[in-house]
Amino acid sequence: MVCPGYAHLEPAKIAQITKLEAELGVLLLAHERPAPVASLNEQDLKQLREIEKKMGIRLVAYA
């Protein structure tokens, strides 16, 4: 599996995204080629959340 890289954006596009982040009050990540998000069962999600909490990180699962 290949992890999608961050998008290479022109300054004007970055400014648009920054403005949207401010309006929505969120942090947005732009990927070059989005991969499908994995479909996880409850047990998988529980394990993922436990590791996130233990390590103080945020994980994203791609298929």
Side-chain angles (χ1 to χ4, degrees):
M1 173 174 58
V2 176
C3 182
Y6 293 115
H8 299 91
L9 301 172
E10 301 167 6
K13 290 181 179 180
I14 294 171
Q16 287 179 307
I17 293 171
T18 301
K19 181 180 178 220
L20 182 58
E21 286 178 324
E23 290 173 4
L24 300 177
V26 299
L27 175 65
L28 298 171
L29 299 177
H31 290 283
E32 198 68 37
R33 287 187 209 147
V37 176
S39 178
L40 302 174
N41 62 41
E42 287 300 317
Q43 181 60 33
D44 294 341
L45 286 172
K46 182 180 177 186
Q47 287 181 296
L48 190 139
R49 289 179 181 132
E50 287 173 1
I51 290 175
E52 287 180 330
K53 186 176 180 181
K54 182 189 242 182
M55 295 184 175
I57 60 172
R58 179 69 60 210
L59 297 171
V60 179
Y62 293 106

Coordinates of all heavy atoms in Angstrom, one line a residue:
M1 N 0.8 -1.2 0.0 CA 0.0 0.0 0.0 C 0.9 1.2 0.0 O 1.9 1.3 0.7 CB -0.9 0.0 1.2 CG -1.7 1.3 1.3 SD -2.9 1.4 2.6 CE -2.0 1.1 4.1
V2 N 0.5 2.2 -0.7 CA 1.2 3.5 -0.8 C 0.4 4.6 -0.1 O -0.8 4.8 -0.4 CB 1.4 3.9 -2.3 CG1 2.1 5.3 -2.3 CG2 2.3 2.9 -3.0
C3 N 1.0 5.2 0.9 CA 0.3 6.3 1.6 C 0.3 7.5 0.7 O 1.2 7.9 0.1 CB 1.1 6.6 2.9 SG 0.3 7.9 3.9
P4 N -0.9 8.2 0.6 CA -1.0 9.4 -0.2 C -0.2 10.5 0.4 O -0.2 10.7 1.6 CB -2.5 9.7 -0.2 CG -3.0 9.0 1.1 CD -2.2 7.8 1.3
G5 N 0.5 11.2 -0.5 CA 1.3 12.3 0.0 C 0.5 13.6 0.1 O -0.6 13.7 -0.5
Y6 N 1.0 14.6 0.7 CA 0.4 15.9 0.8 C 0.3 16.5 -0.6 O 1.3 16.4 -1.4 CB 1.1 16.8 1.8 CG 1.0 16.3 3.2 CD1 2.1 15.9 3.9 CD2 -0.3 16.3 3.9 CE1 2.0 15.5 5.2 CE2 -0.4 15.8 5.2 CZ 0.7 15.4 5.9 OH 0.6 15.0 7.1
A7 N -0.7 17.3 -0.8 CA -0.9 17.9 -2.1 C 0.1 19.1 -2.2 O 0.5 19.7 -1.3 CB -2.3 18.5 -2.2
H8 N 0.6 19.2 -3.5 CA 1.5 20.4 -3.8 C 0.6 21.5 -4.4 O 0.0 21.3 -5.5 CB 2.5 19.9 -4.8 CG 3.4 18.9 -4.3 ND1 3.1 17.5 -4.5 CD2 4.5 18.9 -3.6 CE1 4.1 16.8 -3.9 NE2 4.9 17.6 -3.4
L9 N 0.4 22.5 -3.6 CA -0.6 23.6 -3.9 C 0.1 24.9 -4.2 O 1.1 25.2 -3.5 CB -1.6 23.7 -2.8 CG -2.4 22.5 -2.5 CD1 -3.3 22.7 -1.2 CD2 -3.3 22.1 -3.6
E10 N -0.5 25.7 -5.1 CA -0.1 27.0 -5.3 C -0.5 27.9 -4.1 O -1.5 27.6 -3.4 CB -0.7 27.6 -6.6 CG -0.4 26.8 -7.8 CD -1.3 27.1 -9.0 OE1 -2.1 28.1 -8.9 OE2 -1.3 26.4 -10.0
P11 N 0.2 29.0 -3.9 CA -0.1 29.9 -2.7 C -1.5 30.3 -2.7 O -2.1 30.4 -1.6 CB 0.9 31.0 -2.9 CG 2.1 30.4 -3.6 CD 1.5 29.4 -4.5
A12 N -2.1 30.6 -3.8 CA -3.5 31.0 -3.9 C -4.5 29.9 -3.3 O -5.4 30.2 -2.6 CB -3.9 31.4 -5.3
K13 N -4.2 28.7 -3.7 CA -5.0 27.6 -3.2 C -4.8 27.4 -1.7 O -5.7 27.0 -1.0 CB -4.7 26.3 -4.0 CG -5.2 26.4 -5.4 CD -4.9 25.1 -6.2 CE -5.4 25.2 -7.6 NZ -5.2 24.0 -8.4
I14 N -3.6 27.5 -1.2 CA -3.3 27.4 0.2 C -4.1 28.5 0.9 O -4.6 28.2 2.0 CB -1.8 27.5 0.5 CG1 -1.1 26.3 -0.1 CG2 -1.5 27.6 2.0 CD1 0.4 26.3 -0.1
A15 N -4.1 29.7 0.4 CA -4.9 30.7 1.0 C -6.3 30.4 1.1 O -7.0 30.7 2.2 CB -4.6 32.1 0.3
Q16 N -6.9 29.8 0.1 CA -8.3 29.4 0.1 C -8.6 28.4 1.2 O -9.6 28.5 1.9 CB -8.7 28.8 -1.2 CG -8.9 29.8 -2.3 CD -9.3 29.1 -3.6 OE1 -8.6 28.2 -4.1 NE2 -10.3 29.6 -4.3
I17 N -7.7 27.4 1.3 CA -7.8 26.4 2.3 C -7.7 27.0 3.7 O -8.4 26.7 4.7 CB -6.9 25.2 2.1 CG1 -7.2 24.5 0.8 CG2 -6.8 24.3 3.3 CD1 -6.2 23.5 0.3
T18 N -6.7 27.9 3.9 CA -6.5 28.5 5.2 C -7.7 29.3 5.6 O -8.1 29.3 6.8 CB -5.3 29.4 5.1 OG1 -4.1 28.7 4.8 CG2 -5.0 30.1 6.4
K19 N -8.3 30.0 4.7 CA -9.6 30.8 4.9 C -10.7 29.8 5.4 O -11.4 30.1 6.3 CB -10.0 31.6 3.7 CG -11.2 32.4 3.9 CD -11.6 33.2 2.6 CE -12.8 33.9 2.9 NZ -13.8 33.9 1.8
L20 N -10.8 28.7 4.7 CA -11.9 27.7 5.0 C -11.6 27.2 6.4 O -12.6 27.0 7.2 CB -11.9 26.6 4.0 CG -13.0 25.6 4.2 CD1 -14.4 26.2 4.2 CD2 -12.9 24.5 3.1
E21 N -10.4 26.9 6.7 CA -10.1 26.4 8.1 C -10.5 27.4 9.1 O -11.1 27.0 10.1 CB -8.5 26.2 8.2 CG -8.0 25.0 7.5 CD -6.5 24.8 7.6 OE1 -5.8 25.9 7.7 OE2 -6.0 23.7 7.7
A22 N -10.3 28.6 8.9 CA -10.7 29.7 9.9 C -12.2 29.7 10.0 O -12.7 29.9 11.1 CB -10.1 31.0 9.5
E23 N -12.9 29.7 8.8 CA -14.3 29.7 8.9 C -14.9 28.5 9.6 O -15.9 28.7 10.3 CB -14.9 29.8 7.4 CG -14.6 31.1 6.7 CD -15.0 31.1 5.3 OE1 -15.5 30.1 4.8 OE2 -14.7 32.1 4.6
L24 N -14.4 27.4 9.4 CA -15.0 26.1 9.9 C -14.4 25.8 11.3 O -15.0 25.0 12.1 CB -14.7 24.9 9.0 CG -15.3 25.0 7.6 CD1 -14.8 23.8 6.8 CD2 -16.8 25.1 7.6
G25 N -13.3 26.4 11.7 CA -12.6 26.1 12.9 C -12.0 24.7 13.0 O -12.1 24.1 14.1
V26 N -11.5 24.3 11.9 CA -10.9 23.0 11.8 C -9.5 23.0 11.2 O -9.1 24.0 10.6 CB -11.8 22.0 11.0 CG1 -13.2 21.8 11.7 CG2 -12.0 22.4 9.6
L27 N -8.8 21.9 11.3 CA -7.5 21.8 10.6 C -7.8 20.8 9.4 O -8.3 19.8 9.5 CB -6.5 21.1 11.5 CG -5.2 20.8 10.9 CD1 -4.4 22.0 10.4 CD2 -4.3 20.0 11.9
L28 N -7.4 21.3 8.2 CA -7.6 20.5 7.0 C -6.3 20.0 6.4 O -5.3 20.7 6.5 CB -8.3 21.3 5.9 CG -9.7 21.8 6.3 CD1 -10.2 22.9 5.2 CD2 -10.7 20.7 6.4
L29 N -6.2 18.8 6.0 CA -5.1 18.2 5.3 C -5.4 17.9 3.9 O -6.5 17.3 3.6 CB -4.6 16.9 6.0 CG -4.2 17.0 7.4 CD1 -3.9 15.6 8.0 CD2 -3.1 17.9 7.6
A30 N -4.6 18.3 2.9 CA -4.8 18.1 1.5 C -3.9 17.0 1.0 O -2.7 17.2 1.1 CB -4.6 19.4 0.7
H31 N -4.4 16.0 0.5 CA -3.6 14.9 0.0 C -3.6 14.9 -1.6 O -4.6 15.3 -2.2 CB -4.2 13.5 0.4 CG -4.0 13.3 1.9 ND1 -2.8 12.9 2.4 CD2 -4.8 13.3 2.9 CE1 -2.9 12.7 3.7 NE2 -4.1 13.0 4.0
E32 N -2.5 14.5 -2.1 CA -2.4 14.6 -3.6 C -3.4 13.6 -4.3 O -4.1 14.0 -5.2 CB -0.9 14.2 -4.0 CG -0.5 14.6 -5.4 CD -0.4 16.1 -5.5 OE1 0.0 16.8 -4.6 OE2 -0.8 16.5 -6.6
R33 N -3.4 12.4 -3.9 CA -4.3 11.4 -4.4 C -5.0 10.7 -3.2 O -4.4 9.7 -2.7 CB -3.6 10.4 -5.2 CG -3.1 10.9 -6.5 CD -2.5 9.8 -7.4 NE -1.5 10.4 -8.3 CZ -0.4 9.8 -8.7 NH1 -0.2 8.6 -8.3 NH2 0.4 10.4 -9.5
P34 N -6.2 11.1 -2.9 CA -6.8 10.5 -1.7 C -7.0 9.0 -1.9 O -7.5 8.6 -3.0 CB -8.2 11.2 -1.6 CG -8.0 12.5 -2.4 CD -7.0 12.2 -3.4
A35 N -6.7 8.2 -0.9 CA -7.0 6.8 -0.9 C -8.3 6.5 -0.2 O -8.7 7.3 0.6 CB -5.8 6.0 -0.2
P36 N -9.0 5.4 -0.5 CA -10.2 5.1 0.1 C -10.0 4.9 1.6 O -9.0 4.2 2.0 CB -10.7 3.9 -0.5 CG -9.7 3.5 -1.6 CD -8.6 4.4 -1.5
V37 N -10.9 5.4 2.4 CA -10.8 5.2 3.9 C -11.2 3.7 4.2 O -12.1 3.2 3.6 CB -11.7 6.2 4.6 CG1 -11.7 5.9 6.1 CG2 -11.3 7.6 4.3
A38 N -10.4 3.1 5.1 CA -10.7 1.7 5.4 C -12.0 1.6 6.2 O -12.4 2.4 7.0 CB -9.6 1.1 6.3
S39 N -12.7 0.5 6.0 CA -13.9 0.1 6.7 C -13.4 -0.8 7.9 O -13.0 -1.9 7.7 CB -14.9 -0.6 5.8 OG -16.0 -1.0 6.6
L40 N -13.5 -0.3 9.1 CA -13.1 -1.0 10.3 C -14.2 -1.5 11.1 O -15.2 -0.8 11.3 CB -12.1 -0.2 11.1 CG -10.9 0.4 10.4 CD1 -10.1 1.3 11.3 CD2 -10.0 -0.8 10.0
N41 N -14.1 -2.7 11.7 CA -15.2 -3.2 12.6 C -14.9 -2.5 14.0 O -13.9 -1.9 14.2 CB -15.2 -4.7 12.7 CG -13.9 -5.3 13.2 OD1 -13.3 -4.8 14.2 ND2 -13.5 -6.4 12.6
E42 N -15.9 -2.8 14.9 CA -15.8 -2.1 16.2 C -14.5 -2.5 17.0 O -14.0 -1.7 17.7 CB -17.1 -2.5 17.0 CG -18.3 -1.8 16.6 CD -18.2 -0.3 16.7 OE1 -17.7 0.2 17.7 OE2 -18.6 0.4 15.7
Q43 N -14.1 -3.8 16.9 CA -12.9 -4.2 17.6 C -11.7 -3.5 17.0 O -10.8 -3.1 17.8 CB -12.7 -5.7 17.5 CG -11.5 -6.3 18.2 CD -11.5 -6.0 19.7 OE1 -12.6 -6.0 20.3 NE2 -10.3 -5.8 20.3
D44 N -11.6 -3.4 15.7 CA -10.5 -2.7 15.1 C -10.5 -1.2 15.5 O -9.4 -0.6 15.9 CB -10.6 -2.7 13.6 CG -10.4 -4.1 13.0 OD1 -9.8 -5.0 13.7 OD2 -10.8 -4.3 11.9
L45 N -11.6 -0.6 15.6 CA -11.7 0.8 16.0 C -11.3 1.0 17.4 O -10.6 2.0 17.8 CB -13.2 1.4 15.8 CG -13.6 1.6 14.3 CD1 -15.1 2.0 14.3 CD2 -12.8 2.8 13.8
K46 N -11.7 0.1 18.3 CA -11.3 0.1 19.7 C -9.8 0.1 19.8 O -9.2 0.9 20.6 CB -12.0 -1.1 20.4 CG -11.7 -1.0 21.9 CD -12.3 -2.2 22.6 CE -12.0 -2.2 24.1 NZ -12.4 -3.4 24.8
Q47 N -9.2 -0.8 19.1 CA -7.7 -0.9 19.1 C -7.1 0.3 18.6 O -6.1 0.8 19.2 CB -7.2 -2.1 18.3 CG -7.5 -3.5 18.9 CD -6.9 -4.6 18.0 OE1 -7.4 -4.7 16.9 NE2 -6.0 -5.3 18.5
L48 N -7.6 0.9 17.6 CA -7.0 2.1 17.0 C -7.1 3.3 18.0 O -6.2 4.0 18.2 CB -7.8 2.4 15.7 CG -7.2 3.5 14.9 CD1 -7.3 3.2 13.4 CD2 -7.9 4.8 15.1
R49 N -8.3 3.4 18.6 CA -8.5 4.5 19.6 C -7.6 4.3 20.8 O -7.2 5.3 21.4 CB -10.0 4.5 20.0 CG -10.9 5.1 18.8 CD -12.3 5.1 19.2 NE -13.1 5.5 18.1 CZ -14.2 4.9 17.7 NH1 -14.7 3.9 18.3 NH2 -14.9 5.4 16.6
E50 N -7.4 3.1 21.3 CA -6.6 2.9 22.4 C -5.1 3.3 22.1 O -4.5 3.9 22.9 CB -6.6 1.4 22.8 CG -7.9 0.9 23.5 CD -8.0 -0.6 23.7 OE1 -7.0 -1.3 23.4 OE2 -9.0 -1.0 24.2
I51 N -4.6 3.0 20.9 CA -3.3 3.4 20.6 C -3.2 4.9 20.4 O -2.2 5.5 20.8 CB -2.8 2.6 19.3 CG1 -2.6 1.2 19.6 CG2 -1.6 3.3 18.7 CD1 -2.3 0.3 18.4
E52 N -4.2 5.5 19.8 CA -4.2 6.9 19.7 C -4.1 7.6 21.1 O -3.3 8.5 21.3 CB -5.5 7.4 19.0 CG -5.6 7.1 17.5 CD -6.9 7.6 16.9 OE1 -7.9 7.6 17.6 OE2 -6.8 8.0 15.7
K53 N -4.9 7.1 22.0 CA -5.0 7.7 23.3 C -3.6 7.5 24.0 O -3.1 8.4 24.6 CB -6.1 7.1 24.1 CG -6.3 7.7 25.5 CD -7.5 7.1 26.2 CE -7.7 7.7 27.6 NZ -8.8 7.1 28.3
K54 N -3.1 6.3 23.9 CA -1.8 5.9 24.6 C -0.7 6.8 24.1 O 0.2 7.2 24.8 CB -1.5 4.4 24.4 CG -0.3 3.9 25.1 CD 0.0 2.5 24.6 CE -0.1 1.6 25.8 NZ 0.2 0.2 25.4
M55 N -0.6 6.9 22.7 CA 0.5 7.7 22.1 C 0.3 9.1 21.9 O 1.2 9.9 21.5 CB 0.8 7.0 20.7 CG 1.3 5.6 20.8 SD 1.7 5.0 19.1 CE 2.3 3.4 19.5
G56 N -1.0 9.6 22.1 CA -1.3 11.0 21.9 C -1.2 11.4 20.5 O -0.7 12.5 20.1
I57 N -1.7 10.6 19.6 CA -1.6 10.8 18.1 C -3.0 10.6 17.5 O -3.9 10.1 18.2 CB -0.6 9.9 17.4 CG1 -1.0 8.4 17.6 CG2 0.8 10.2 17.9 CD1 -0.1 7.4 16.8
R58 N -3.1 10.9 16.2 CA -4.3 10.7 15.5 C -3.9 9.8 14.3 O -3.0 10.1 13.6 CB -4.9 12.0 15.0 CG -6.2 11.8 14.2 CD -7.4 11.3 14.9 NE -7.7 12.3 16.0 CZ -8.3 11.9 17.1 NH1 -8.5 10.6 17.4 NH2 -8.5 12.8 18.1
L59 N -4.6 8.7 14.1 CA -4.4 7.8 13.0 C -5.5 7.8 12.0 O -6.7 8.0 12.4 CB -4.3 6.3 13.5 CG -3.1 6.1 14.5 CD1 -3.2 4.7 15.1 CD2 -1.8 6.2 13.8
V60 N -5.2 7.7 10.7 CA -6.2 7.6 9.7 C -5.9 6.2 9.0 O -4.8 5.9 8.6 CB -6.0 8.7 8.7 CG1 -7.0 8.6 7.5 CG2 -6.2 10.1 9.4
A61 N -7.0 5.4 8.8 CA -6.9 4.1 8.2 C -7.3 4.2 6.8 O -8.5 4.5 6.5 CB -7.7 3.1 9.0
Y62 N -6.4 3.9 5.9 CA -6.7 3.8 4.4 C -6.8 2.4 4.0 O -6.2 1.5 4.6 CB -5.7 4.5 3.6 CG -5.6 6.0 3.8 CD1 -4.6 6.6 4.5 CD2 -6.6 6.8 3.3 CE1 -4.5 7.9 4.7 CE2 -6.5 8.2 3.4 CZ -5.5 8.7 4.2 OH -5.5 10.1 4.3
A63 N -7.7 2.1 3.0 CA -7.9 0.7 2.5 C -6.8 0.4 1.5 O -6.2 1.2 0.9 CB -9.2 0.6 1.8

